Amino acid sequence: MPADPRSPEPQRLARAALRDVAWEVGVAKPDPAIVVDGVTRTFGGLTAVAVDHLEIQRGGITGLIGPNGAGKTTLFNLLTGFDQPNAGSWTFDGRPLGKLAPHRVARLGVVRTFQLTKALARLTVLQNMLLGAQDQRGESFFRALVPGIWRQQEKENTEKAMDLLARFKLDSKKDDFAGTLSGGQRKLLEMARALMSDPQVVMLDEPMAGVNPALTQSLLGHVKDLREQGMTVIFVEHDMDVVRDISDWVVVMASGRVIAEGPPESISQNQAVVDAYLGAHHDAPLTVEEEDRVLAQAEREIAREEHVEGEVLSSDVPPQERTDR
Amino acid sequence: MGELIDALTVAGKAALGFQAIFFALLAIGINVQFGYAGLLNFGQIAFAMLGGFGIAISVSKWGLPFWVGVLVGVLAAVVLALLLGLPTLRLRADYLAIATIATAEGLRLLFRSVSATPVTNGTRGLSAFNGDFIALAPWDTARRYRFLGTSWSGAELWVALVGWVLVALACLLVWALVRSPWGRVLKSIREDEDAVRALGKNVYVYKMQALVLGGVVGAFGGMIYAVGTGSAVPDQYQNANTFLAYAALILGGAARVLGPVVGAMLLLFILQFADTLLRALIDNGVIPSELLSSTDVAQIRFVLVGLGLILLLVFRPQGIFGDRREVMLDAR
């Protein structure tokens, strides 16, 4: 679905739609593509994911952030069928996705990339791309034996692949083995390959990790392009500049739970998020009033410590004091 | 000098004989499974045994026509592939390897066991089942023919001819499949099956198809072996043959259509050449009998093949037909 050319800033449609949405966990979105309900996944005693309710706005870029081990990748795995939850359900366009095998989820139009890039090393770049195309007649065993059945489709797919490769500036590498590409180029290839399937939802697991800054800019551009084409993008990222730059909405996870969501500018000021990343006491740059507040808090603690000898300073602050902004 | 030429012609016959065809078909099957799909089937010989015994039991025990026996062998191979694949193909690659190696050994022991004697004749095996097939030869099978400096019986020539036609057909099939989108999915599964899943392909079905196809090709190998020797004895189907077929595949180059065929011919050539030449040299006293007796030769030739394989892996890891760039990618 191409963007409306008359609209001055088409990519901000999702942001406009989300303007009036409250900045609270589990809030309902105007037009959700994916709705997650009560999904939990435990590994032994560890609860990797416990999301009560989460809606992902259609046509927007949703950033999924959180410290290491927050359950972001596990949530991705659950949503795309690579892992099955202990409980809960989730839907895409109202269709339940639970219990679907990964390839069925992909066929519905929800494709993903992986944190550790999965370029198919001993296939050429072009073959990698062609693999992404859906409903290929030549992929069935018996029809594969009759080239007449699939040759035309193969030609069309090749043209589409070359278009995409040109967009991602990989067209000159089309006959190279994917294994010879650099890490950043592999990320590009994986994203381009996912686009071969004309997805409706693209889930990118750390698309910028290990990519040099110059390439990051072009990757960012590509992600924004996806939104302009009407796709819903969910991505995991650690670089907050990137998250601020491209996302319409940010979901923050910690210890398997969604602890905050809101537009990107709301997140860096959210105390729960700051605490989750840095602990209650951190040495991030502070504003004047924050400094005053921290100072006052420290003084209170020192005063209290003088009352209770030997208490550990950092852990005796009641939680409401830490998140009272 | 005469010994050398002699050894060359004898080895040349071995490279064209039914044993080479047997290994070629085993290796073509393994090539589909391991070379293209990345499946570790360490029990390919079990499929060959089912092929061979499919004919042998059908014809000499049940009195069915030869061609029904072929069908039985193929069906048995399909069933075995499904049985092996159903529980293991969803798991990591090693589980298929474990299951196949155990099945190959277990099936052979079952076929030679006393309780199976009424059907398989136990360790003595079955014979006299290839008459119908040999009778199809358009020439006199009782006569001997000179061919490339060696003497072949008419039956040998007929089995070899049909065998090589089978090899050619199998290669053609593999070639047609791997250049198609189907083959592309198969190769992608070898590289990373999760990536393929994420792109909407049912990996399980492709792996199963590869396992069945490779198993059926292996079963045809077993059939050629059975009609070539004229007997089906369980102990002919030692699992060492699976590994020799792997050696042939690596020698020729994995994931290449003609790799397994050339590899199998070369393997048989080297084995026979070393055997004949060493024996001749021992008989002539060129190699002193204290150093090597002719009874040692049977083992020494395998040592030579092993040595050759090591040298190959050092200097040409891609095999004869492989693409060095492709193989070196794994080292990254």
Side-chain angles (χ1 to χ4, degrees):
Chain A
M1 190 171 59
D4 184 356
R6 286 162 302 174
S7 161
E9 262 196 321
Q11 73 273 25
R12 290 303 184 205
L13 282 175
R15 175 158 290 193
L18 290 167
R19 193 185 298 136
D20 302 326
V21 173
W23 303 355
E24 56 194 42
V25 174
V27 68
K29 309 291 188 308
D31 181 16
I34 290 182
V35 179
V36 179
D37 248 318
V39 167
T40 57
R41 176 73 172 108
T42 55
F43 298 108
L46 176 78
T47 303
V49 167
V51 175
D52 292 334
H53 189 81
L54 178 65
E55 297 186 2
I56 306 290
Q57 172 71 11
R58 187 188 316 279
I61 299 181
T62 301
L64 184 57
I65 63 170
N68 293 328
K72 307 179 295 288
T73 298
T74 309
L75 182 63
F76 260 41
N77 286 343
L78 291 172
L79 291 181
T80 49
F82 278 85
D83 194 2
Q84 292 297 328
N86 300 83
S89 66
W90 61 101
T91 59
F92 163 61
D93 272 353
R95 241 181 313 202
L97 289 189
K99 301 264 182 267
L100 280 193
H103 67 273
R104 299 210 172 273
V105 176
R107 284 179 195 172
L108 287 177
V110 181
V111 298
R112 69 171 297 183
T113 64
F114 293 86
Q115 185 173 2
L116 300 170
T117 322
K118 293 187 187 296
L120 307 165
R122 286 185 290 171
L123 266 65
T124 67
V125 168
L126 183 59
Q127 284 177 323
N128 262 272
M129 292 295 290
L130 289 172
L131 183 75
Q134 296 299 299
D135 301 319
Q136 293 191 51
R137 291 191 277 273
E139 286 185 352
S140 119
F141 181 89
F142 290 106
R143 278 181 286 183
L145 295 171
V146 190
I149 297 178
W150 47 264
R151 195 157 274 155
Q152 181 58 31
Q153 193 185 27
E154 185 86 347
K155 216 161 103 193
E156 290 160 14
N157 284 339
T158 307
E159 279 166 23
K160 184 171 159 193
M162 288 313 295
D163 281 351
L164 274 169
L165 284 178
R167 253 172 65 195
F168 283 79
K169 300 204 170 48
L170 286 170
D171 45 344
S172 60
K173 305 230 172 233
K174 74 179 174 80
D175 293 322
D176 291 4
F177 284 123
T180 64
L181 297 181
S182 73
Q185 286 170 329
R186 289 182 200 205
K187 292 262 177 202
L188 284 171
L189 174 60
E190 200 183 17
M191 199 187 291
R193 191 175 66 197
L195 296 186
M196 275 299 286
S197 63
D198 295 321
Q200 297 171 55
V201 177
V202 183
M203 302 179 69
L204 306 169
D205 200 345
E206 300 205 18
M208 320 291 172
V211 176
N212 76 52
L215 207 50
T216 302
Q217 281 312 312
S218 95
L219 261 169
L220 282 180
H222 291 306
V223 176
K224 288 181 186 167
D225 277 352
L226 302 185
R227 172 174 57 189
E228 304 216 355
Q229 288 162 25
M231 291 177 211
T232 306
V233 180
I234 310 174
F235 74 107
V236 168
E237 188 51 62
H238 283 298
D239 186 337
M240 283 309 290
D241 288 335
V242 169
V243 173
R244 251 193 299 275
D245 182 11
I246 66 171
S247 34
D248 300 310
W249 194 260
V250 177
V251 174
V252 190
M253 287 183 74
S255 315
R257 293 171 189 287
V258 176
I259 57 164
E261 55 176 307
E265 59 272 16
S266 75
I267 292 303
S268 49
Q269 300 153 22
N270 186 310
Q271 195 61 34
V273 177
V274 175
D275 288 353
Y277 266 94
L278 303 166
H281 295 268
H282 56 83
D283 51 8
L286 298 173
T287 60
V288 175
E289 66 260 36
E290 270 176 332
E291 263 179 57
D292 288 345
R293 189 180 55 79
V294 171
L295 204 61
Q297 193 178 328
E299 277 168 357
R300 276 204 305 278
E301 281 162 8
I302 290 166
R304 187 167 34 207
E305 199 191 9
E306 282 165 356
H307 282 288
V308 192
E309 205 62 46
E311 272 289 288
V312 180
L313 205 144
S314 59
S315 64
D316 64 350
V317 190
Q320 62 269 28
E321 267 189 66
R322 282 190 282 161
T323 55
D324 59 356
R325 320 199 52 216
Chain B
M1 203 56 214
E3 287 94 356
L4 188 67
I5 292 171
D6 210 33
L8 281 174
T9 52
V10 173
K13 183 185 173 184
L16 294 172
F18 71 88
Q19 292 209 21
I21 298 166
F22 169 61
F23 282 114
L25 286 171
L26 287 189
I28 290 171
I30 293 173
N31 194 28
V32 172
Q33 297 163 342
F34 169 72
Y36 290 107
L39 299 172
L40 283 172
N41 173 8
F42 283 152
Q44 178 72 336
I45 197 66
F47 293 95
M49 189 168 78
L50 289 184
F53 271 91
I55 294 177
I57 295 173
S58 302
V59 175
S60 44
K61 283 287 169 183
W62 300 338
L64 297 169
F66 180 83
W67 298 106
V68 177
V70 172
L71 202 67
V72 169
V74 169
L75 284 180
V78 171
V79 169
L80 179 66
L82 292 176
L83 283 179
L84 284 171
L86 279 174
T88 57
L89 287 183
R90 287 188 204 277
L91 306 173
R92 240 177 29 226
D94 351 6
Y95 290 92
L96 179 68
I98 296 164
T100 47
I101 201 168
T103 305
E105 206 48 12
L107 268 184
R108 181 178 66 83
L109 293 175
L110 177 72
F111 273 47
R112 78 193 293 281
S113 68
V114 176
S115 51
T117 304
V119 186
T120 63
N121 264 12
T123 48
R124 292 209 321 281
L126 296 162
S127 56
F129 50 81
N130 60 353
D132 282 359
F133 175 75
I134 302 295
L136 288 174
W139 51 72
D140 182 3
T141 49
R143 258 194 64 198
R144 294 196 75 80
Y145 298 83
R146 296 291 297 175
F147 181 64
L148 293 177
T150 49
S151 154
W152 296 60
S153 82
E156 261 182 316
L157 273 181
W158 174 237
V159 172
L161 177 71
V162 173
W164 285 115
V165 169
L166 265 181
V167 169
L169 287 177
C171 285
L172 207 63
L173 179 69
V174 171
W175 171 78
L177 281 171
V178 297
R179 72 183 183 134
S180 76
W182 186 85
R184 187 165 59 220
V185 177
L186 212 60
K187 281 182 260 183
S188 310
I189 291 171
R190 171 190 73 196
E191 298 301 311
D192 193 316
E193 45 182 276
D194 275 347
V196 182
R197 278 197 191 97
L199 293 169
K201 324 287 176 198
N202 192 344
V203 168
Y204 185 65
V205 167
Y206 285 96
K207 283 164 120 182
M208 191 61 97
Q209 287 171 342
L211 192 64
V212 171
L213 175 63
V216 168
V217 175
F220 276 110
M223 291 177 197
I224 289 294
Y225 192 76
V227 293
T229 56
S231 65
V233 180
D235 287 344
Q236 287 170 335
Y237 298 95
Q238 299 274 358
N239 207 12
N241 291 309
T242 303
F243 300 108
L244 279 174
Y246 266 96
L249 176 62
I250 292 163
L251 200 64
R256 286 291 179 279
V257 174
L258 289 178
V261 180
V262 172
M265 292 174 76
L266 206 63
L267 182 79
L268 266 288
F269 183 89
I270 296 169
L271 283 176
Q272 193 59 52
F273 179 72
D275 188 88
T276 316
L277 190 66
L278 284 174
R279 279 180 207 280
L281 292 177
I282 291 167
D283 288 348
N284 291 357
V286 180
I287 298 175
S289 54
E290 307 90 72
L291 189 70
L292 200 68
S293 73
S294 35
T295 46
D296 299 331
V297 169
Q299 279 80 48
I300 289 291
R301 59 194 186 138
F302 284 107
V303 173
L304 289 177
V305 168
L307 208 63
L309 269 180
I310 292 171
L311 289 176
L312 182 85
L313 290 181
V314 171
F315 294 108
R316 203 175 160 81
Q318 70 272 37
I320 292 164
F321 280 113
D323 181 335
R324 191 179 181 91
R325 290 181 309 147
E326 197 177 317
V327 173
M328 295 324 266
L329 281 177
D330 274 352
R332 292 159 74 93

